[in-house]
Amino acid sequence: MSDLFKELKDKVQQQNPTIVFPEGTDERILAAAVRLAEENVLKPILVGDKEEITSRAKEIGVSLGDMELIDPKQYAEFDSLVASFVERRKGKATEEQARQILTDENYFGTMLVYTGKAHGLVSGAAHSTADTVRPALQIIKTKEGIKKTSGAFIMVKGEEKYVFADCAINIAPSSADLAESALVSAHTARVFGIDPKVALLSFSTKGSAKSAETEKVVEATELLSGMNPDFPFDGELQFDAAFVSSVAQKKAPDSPLKGEANVFIFPGLETGNIGYKMVQRLGGFEAIGPILQGLNMPVNDLSRGCNEEDVYKLALITAMQAL
């Protein structure tokens, strides 16, 4: 385990938050949850049919101990969850519809987070991203002033740590989306011990080229300025002008970043997704994420190709976001 995760584990362990796993019968979820519980890092809640979960645990040779298992169909406070859901959806779901919707494990688990039973949620081992994110957007919703969630990666190699965003969610972000992404990415950086210096990236530096694409980043930088951020930022910048001091002196001598950026906001999902994968594969960095940003409470999405270690690490990240 990298030093970053050892740090996260130590911090999370002190608070021992509760994380809900809606996919309680998945063997990868079970193995990771048992490990987290046995190490006393956090308190897992497994959602699903209790007999099925117990049987699956025996099959893979893990002991659930006194871990909390919740079957939505037998949950004593189900009526209360239904009422809270109807109120939260403000006329978009009747009580009858809510009862049906909350039999879905992701909706049920998200309601446990919303009502304070758990501090965060990890899902996606057996569900699509949409199945995981949709309940969060409908129930937990984004923070005040943030209209869209975004996906960040923490790129780690030895002592080096950087934040890349958005690499997972918004295909063609507007200038307002980019400004929001910069704001929440700075917060993500701080969660992981990074003092944010934010660069809004482009193929142009300070007007060296002009197009609709570059102007979008210029406008995003102006919008970010109006949000009164408490961290240094600049745009539009090419990557070398954001990252290499000697290049910054020539291309952007007045930039407050001085070529020392550590949070990089990509102008679109194409560049963000390609960029993080290139740094991961060519640069030998560990790519941690995607971490969903901008929600009122943490919900994170696993890849369906994940393994037990991925579940363990994303649970730590989610717990850290909740602290």
Side-chain angles (χ1 to χ4, degrees), residues 59-249:
E59 282 178 24
I60 64 171
V62 296
S63 173
L64 296 174
D66 59 355
M67 193 183 303
E68 187 169 8
L69 312 180
I70 299 180
D71 183 345
K73 295 173 184 175
Q74 298 177 358
Y75 187 51
E77 298 174 45
F78 192 77
D79 288 348
S80 177
L81 281 191
V82 168
S84 293
F85 181 80
V86 171
E87 182 183 1
R88 186 60 165 166
R89 294 298 287 142
K90 296 178 179 176
K92 294 180 180 177
T94 64
E95 181 180 331
E96 185 180 349
Q97 289 169 331
R99 288 185 179 280
Q100 180 61 39
I101 290 168
L102 291 182
T103 60
D104 177 279
E105 53 266 32
N106 278 316
Y107 274 96
F108 181 84
T110 303
M111 281 300 296
L112 293 183
V113 177
Y114 175 64
T115 55
K117 174 77 174 174
H119 297 95
L121 176 147
V122 173
S123 189
H127 290 87
S128 69
T129 295
D131 288 338
T132 301
V133 175
R134 188 184 300 110
L137 293 175
Q138 291 179 358
I139 299 166
I140 292 173
K141 302 186 179 182
T142 54
K143 294 176 180 177
E144 186 176 350
I146 304 298
K147 293 181 180 177
K148 291 184 180 179
T149 187
S150 57
F153 280 84
I154 311 296
M155 307 301 294
V156 182
K157 184 180 181 182
E159 296 299 311
E160 294 181 82
K161 291 187 288 188
Y162 306 101
V163 177
F164 285 15
D166 178 358
C167 306
I169 303 293
N170 298 299
I171 295 173
S174 66
S175 55
D177 296 337
L178 293 177
E180 285 185 3
S181 183
L183 197 67
V184 294
S185 295
H187 173 74
T188 297
R190 285 177 171 146
V191 168
F192 295 96
I194 302 168
D195 185 22
K197 298 174 183 177
V198 180
L200 290 91
L201 299 178
S202 179
F203 61 83
S204 167
T205 296
K206 299 298 181 181
S208 63
K210 282 194 179 292
S211 72
E213 290 80 6
T214 63
E215 288 304 305
K216 179 176 76 170
V217 181
V218 171
E219 185 179 349
T221 307
E222 292 170 353
L223 290 171
L224 179 58
S225 181
M227 296 175 176
N228 299 315
D230 59 350
F231 52 84
F233 66 95
D234 202 9
E236 90 282 19
L237 295 172
Q238 291 164 288
F239 181 80
D240 55 359
F243 189 68
V244 182
S245 297
S246 58
V247 177
Q249 288 172 12

Side-chain angles (χ1 to χ4, degrees), residues 284-305:
F285 277 74
E286 183 178 5
I288 299 164
I291 300 164
L292 292 183
Q293 307 181 120
L295 293 168
N296 280 308
M297 301 165 190
V299 168
N300 279 308
D301 177 43
L302 292 157
S303 162
R304 278 173 282 182

